[in-house]
Amino acid sequence: MPQDCCFDEDGDGVTDCDGDCDDDDDEVFPGNPDGDICGDGKDNDCDGNADLVEDCCFDEDGDGVTDCDGDCDDGDASVLPDNPLGEVCGDTLDNDCDGEADPDNVCSDTGGNPLGTYVSAVIGMDPPSGTGTSDNPVRTIQQGIDNAVTLGNGQPVFVGEGHYDDAFAVVEGVSLLGGHQCDDNDCSWDRDASLYDSAISALDNEGILIDDSITALTRIDGFRIVAMSGNPGDQGVIAAITVDSGTPTLENNRIFGGSVSGGTNRGGTGIRVLGPSNDAAGVQISNNEIQAGDSTGTSSGVALSYRQGAYGIDPPTAAIIDNVVRGGAGNWTRAIMAEASGPGTVVRGNDVFAGSVTTSGGTSFGMFISGELLVDSNRIN
């Protein structure tokens, strides 16, 4: 072709006569030393193949955002642009990819001191030494909750492995997440509740008390929770968790009822639920392992109960789904006791094991039902 018919309109040094497949774009020409530019949809080296976004943008951490879309750390699912959870205070990560990790205006108290909600019974310290950051955790769950309340923005409390026997008050919107690695050698804060045991020992008959201010937004997840043992007194009950009209989310925990001594007119349970529930959906109890304690009276893994003296009034509602529930040894033993359950209560997909009777006049049931509920697809021994 005559030279005066060959053009280099885009000034990339290659004419259309020399094979420039797009002479209007200086990023497209044969032999481009940069090769194909991943994700721009262009055939940059004129080899007949364009690298499309779907071919060369990756989401290695599975957080739903690719590196092409601005994921500033595609190896960490807690880091992504416009993270719906916002900034996780104290983890030293830029969780929302805004260019700043743990910003002072989000992650400090009013005095500008850095705060986090990381708790370690192994290396944690009380304030002011412990600030709650992942590098400098606090010692108690209550202090982690206090920090979360100060920070706001729905900050959860990250609880490391270890034994926790301090009293704490559950606060609406502040979730407790156990099962994180943190020992006296290193704290990676990796999470695996089966490897990193975060154990809570109850200090009174109620165990962890969850009142009517708590909704499903508040989770207790990844703990081993153990009730105290002893004599609760006439008609008394000992529980690892007592839900008093609240509707929390209790999941992925191992829950153990304590041993109850004394007369037969008392009981021991893993989770005790009292009505009325503050939400029609009820308490969410899922994917837990629940073991009833031994008792001289009634032993139950999960007990849906009326208040004392209020039989037939204001039963609770619960969704008990995909748990393993085992009865203990007692005079009357029930893995799941639905003495009181309101409309909407569901017991689905659980593995239920009856306990053993310790007296000649006792009874043992996998499930004992006198309330209103749906029973579906459980495996009952």
Side-chain angles (χ1 to χ4, degrees), residues 318-360:
I320 305 170
I321 298 173
D322 295 335
N323 303 278
V324 176
V325 188
R326 294 182 173 89
N331 194 20
W332 302 283
T333 176
R334 296 87 168 84
I336 297 177
M337 182 171 69
E339 174 191 39
S341 53
T345 297
V346 176
V347 180
R348 175 182 293 124
N350 302 280
D351 291 312
V352 182
F353 299 87
S356 57
V357 176
T358 56
T359 64
S360 60

Side-chain angles (χ1 to χ4, degrees), residues 282-354:
V283 185
Q284 305 299 304
I285 302 172
S286 62
N287 294 299
N288 302 282
E289 295 181 19
I290 306 167
Q291 173 66 58
D294 296 339
S295 174
T296 52
T298 301
S299 169
S300 54
V302 179
L304 309 181
S305 304
Y306 293 112
R307 297 177 183 278
Q308 188 171 337
Y311 186 80
I313 302 173
D314 294 328
T317 304
I320 305 170
I321 298 173
D322 295 335
N323 303 278
V324 176
V325 188
R326 294 182 173 89
N331 194 20
W332 302 283
T333 176
R334 296 87 168 84
I336 297 177
M337 182 171 69
E339 174 191 39
S341 53
T345 297
V346 176
V347 180
R348 175 182 293 124
N350 302 280
D351 291 312
V352 182
F353 299 87

Side-chain angles (χ1 to χ4, degrees), residues 99-262:
E100 185 177 6
D102 298 338
D104 287 344
N105 65 329
V106 176
C107 296
S108 68
D109 62 15
T110 55
N113 299 307
L115 286 182
T117 58
Y118 289 81
V119 181
S120 171
V122 179
I123 67 165
M125 296 178 290
D126 292 324
S129 299
T131 60
T133 64
S134 58
D135 294 332
N136 195 24
V138 294
R139 184 179 61 85
T140 67
I141 293 174
Q142 183 61 64
Q143 187 61 56
I145 292 172
D146 290 346
N147 282 12
V149 171
T150 298
L151 292 167
N153 301 312
Q155 294 285 320
V157 176
F158 304 96
V159 181
E161 59 194 299
H163 185 197
Y164 298 86
D165 56 3
D166 59 291
F168 60 86
V170 178
V171 173
E172 169 64 357
V174 177
S175 293
L176 307 179
L177 309 179
H180 292 88
Q181 188 280 329
C182 184
D183 59 33
D184 52 11
N185 294 315
D186 173 65
C187 291
S188 68
W189 298 100
D190 291 337
R191 192 173 191 218
D192 187 333
S194 65
L195 291 177
Y196 311 121
D197 181 40
S198 301
I200 297 174
S201 295
L203 298 179
D204 55 30
N205 290 347
E206 292 177 320
I208 299 175
L209 177 61
I210 300 171
D211 65 23
D212 61 359
S213 68
I214 306 302
T215 71
L217 293 174
T218 306
R219 294 165 50 206
I220 297 179
D221 182 332
F223 292 91
R224 177 166 61 93
I225 303 168
V226 182
M228 67 179 295
S229 296
N231 185 345
D234 190 51
Q235 298 187 9
V237 176
I238 294 177
I241 300 174
T242 299
V243 181
D244 188 353
S245 296
T247 50
T249 299
L250 307 174
E251 57 188 2
N252 305 315
N253 301 289
R254 292 174 292 153
I255 299 166
F256 297 88
S259 295
V260 174
S261 58

